[in-house]
Amino acid sequence: MPPNPRTGGHSDMEIDRGMAGSSGDGLKTYYITKIEELMLTVNDKRQNTRRLQAQRNELNAKVRMLREELQHLQEQCSYVGEVVKPMDKKKVLVKVHPEGKFVVDLDKNIDINDVTPNCRVA
């Protein structure tokens, strides 16, 4: 359609575009607010993920500790017996009930005077 000389060269279409520009600002603000809302949602999800990862790490540490404890419980136990008599400064005769008698070395942290007959040792 040729421009109308009475309107100063503006057609009806150009006037409609001017109105669409103001509604375009409305769409722009809508999308900006929508993007901000979605960014907040993403941040919340990231924080939740970090919290869950920390919780997972704590639980994995507990599981690891329990597995180690279970492994220690399944190991062979040490013998518990009674001291029969000291043999010399570093050796002691120990009676273990089902196994018999053994001559064992004293640990360097144990004093020979603390080991008396009928004393329980492990």
Side-chain angles (χ1 to χ4, degrees), residues 10-25:
H10 294 96
S11 67
D12 291 335
M13 294 295 283
E14 290 173 349
I15 295 171
D16 287 342
R17 267 193 229 146
M19 290 180 161
S22 65
S23 68
D25 289 340

Side-chain angles (χ1 to χ4, degrees), residues 77-85 92-104 118-122:
C77 61
S78 61
Y79 293 110
V80 176
E82 293 180 7
V83 173
V84 176
K85 65 178 182 175
V92 177
L93 180 64
V94 176
K95 179 175 130 184
V96 179
H97 177 61
E99 303 293 324
K101 294 181 182 179
F102 297 100
V103 176
V104 296
N118 296 328
C119 177
R120 291 186 59 126
V121 292

